[in-house]
Amino acid sequence: MQIAIVGAGPTGLYLATTLARRGHRVAVVDRDPGPPRSGPWRRRGVMQFEHAHTFRGPVVDLLREDMPDFLDRLVSAGASIPTMPDGRPAALLCRRSTFEATMREVAAERPGIDLVTGHVDRTIDDGARVRGVQVDGRRVTADLVLDASGRASRFSAGIRPRAIGEPCGVAYVTRQYRRRRGADHPPTNSPIGLSLAFARYFAVAFLHDARTFSITIAHDGRDPRVRALRHAHVFESVVRRIPRLREWIDGAASEPMTPVLPGGRLHNGYRGQCDEHGALAAPGMISVGDAVCTTTPLAGRGVTLALAQASRLTAIIDHHGADVDSAAMEFDSWCTSAIRPWFDDHRHADADRLRRWAGGDVDLTRPLPSDLIVAAGAVDDRVRRGAEPYARMDALPDTLAAVEPLARSVYASGWRPPVADGPVDLGELCDASVAA
Ligand SMILES: Cc1cc2nc3c(=O)[nH]c(=O)nc-3n(C[C@H](O)[C@H](O)[C@H](O)COP(=O)(O)OP(=O)(O)OC[C@H]3O[C@@H](n4cnc5c(N)ncnc54)[C@H](O)[C@@H]3O)c2cc1C
């Protein structure tokens, strides 16, 4: 088939590679000519491009299967793959910019892929089916259009069903740094770096490639004083007051690479392929990746869910050939059973986290959210073992039901997840830093 893919993000580039390998002719259209490897740190419409990413273990599994040359190139560029005790990959540590720029390089070298720079204004159709897209006023026809345009694209707004979901109640502030030659990273507490959970916010040092790392503070965005974190001197002053983060940004050992990057308007969103009657909303087009499901970045699941979709969609297209409507229906039904549960899980966990960040206690009158079940694994080994497949995203959230009663007993005994040592009120801390 002649396939037009809208969006050259991780989903679009992965699909371009797998589909071209199967003999399809693929045009990937993106308004950006490709991500910059280093500054300027802005990519219009892809706010997360500049933000700290960590890629979960299943991303490595999928890339080993479908894009091993890309993975090798990432590792040569300085990315690393920490492993779990059983030897399987725990994560892929690299900047989003390294990930995307390298993926684009690999896709550009593959025969059968045409990387087109241009803005997709809208789809073109014959009254019944999508037959291609209009790129900067020019028609690009296709047997199948894949919408890999991410979470906020407007080009198909009029023909796709409305997304369900809501803001996930978290705002991000991030700054990227590079460790100076010869300086080791300070102590970490997980394969991805150092994660600190405070009563009302999180602070994380994410390890990336080539001696780079990011410091991210995630909060509920409700206190206007916290907006001051976007100023470098306030951000650095706040980070220095968090004991275990202080040495990460010590100027003798590391230097900032970016301005402080704020990131708001984060949503949990889900949007399938069908209208309210169960019929395909846009025959001839299939949406995939963040265009289907967007989840709280706090859990770092976005790219895993996006590539899992891309991989499954490739297999489904293989199976159905030119019968793209059957492919769309099968993909929709697979997403309902394999992707939507993660969206539901995030909604539940985010709503409860917001309640706890506002001062609420663990609520034992309702089913425990997944993050609390996983946390209880720290004191009950049966919970830890039962929750492990979920935690690595090898099993769906409903598998936690088996250990929920055990976790409930942990909380009924009065135990609560430990809170890191550091300032409690981020707003007060920002005020003090502004004054200083
Ligand atoms: C702050 C933040 C932090 C995150 N951290 C993590 C993390 O740690 N780990 C993780 O796995 N996930 C994380 N995510 C989620 C992850 O970034 C997304 O899941 C991922 O970007 C989805 O890839 P995609 O290719 O589907 O969409 P995108 O990356 O959004 O790519 C869409 C592409 O489409 C292009 N496009 C859109 N509209 C048009 C148009 N009309 N014409 C032409 N081109 C168009 C855009 O330019 C873009 O290149 C984070 C998200 C945010 C917001």
Side-chain angles (χ1 to χ4, degrees), residues 207-273:
L207 296 173
H208 303 312
D209 53 295
R211 305 193 323 281
T212 60
F213 64 96
S214 297
I215 303 285
T216 296
I217 295 179
H219 57 95
D220 66 12
R222 288 182 187 166
D223 185 340
R225 295 174 299 173
V226 177
R227 289 196 201 122
L229 273 180
R230 68 184 61 208
H231 303 299
H233 72 282
V234 176
F235 184 84
E236 300 242 327
S237 158
V238 167
V239 171
R240 273 195 289 274
R241 287 171 204 226
I242 298 175
R244 292 185 67 187
L245 279 184
R246 188 176 303 136
E247 56 182 315
W248 283 81
I249 60 161
D250 175 359
S254 65
E255 58 183 336
M257 298 172 67
T258 67
V260 179
L261 305 160
R265 294 199 305 278
L266 303 174
H267 279 72
N268 288 314
Y270 186 85
R271 190 153 57 152
Q273 319 290 333

Side-chain angles (χ1 to χ4, degrees), residues 168-180:
C168 60
V170 68
Y172 256 52
V173 202
T174 289
R175 192 172 202 190
Q176 214 173 80
Y177 298 81
R178 190 187 297 278
R179 194 141 286 283
R180 296 189 194 279

Side-chain angles (χ1 to χ4, degrees), residues 7 10-11 30-31 43 48 53-54 96 120 149 153 290 297 300 302-303:
T11 307
D30 204 293
R31 57 193 170 208
R43 230 183 122 214
Q48 67 266 35
H53 272 61
T54 197
R96 161 84 185 225
V120 176
S149 64
S153 179
D290 261 26
V303 174

Side-chain angles (χ1 to χ4, degrees), residues 131-147:
R131 297 288 183 190
V133 286
Q134 181 175 295
V135 183
D136 293 328
R138 191 167 52 88
R139 289 166 66 89
V140 174
T141 55
D143 303 311
L144 170 63
V145 172
L146 297 178
D147 165 17

Side-chain angles (χ1 to χ4, degrees), residues 393-417:
M393 293 182 77
D394 288 336
L396 288 173
D398 64 358
T399 55
L400 290 176
V403 288
E404 201 263 3
L406 293 170
R408 181 172 286 275
S409 308
V410 168
Y411 290 104
S413 74
W415 183 84
R416 296 292 179 266

Side-chain angles (χ1 to χ4, degrees), residues 281-337:
M285 182 176 89
I286 302 176
S287 297
V288 52
D290 261 26
V292 169
C293 180
T294 309
T295 52
T296 327
L298 279 177
R301 294 202 174 104
V303 174
T304 304
L305 294 175
L307 298 194
Q309 288 177 58
S311 170
R312 178 53 69 119
L313 181 56
T314 303
I316 290 174
I317 291 172
D318 256 359
H319 178 70
H320 289 284
D323 181 2
V324 297
D325 289 354
S326 296
M329 289 305 277
E330 186 179 335
F331 181 61
D332 191 53
S333 136
W334 178 80
C335 284
T336 305
S337 59

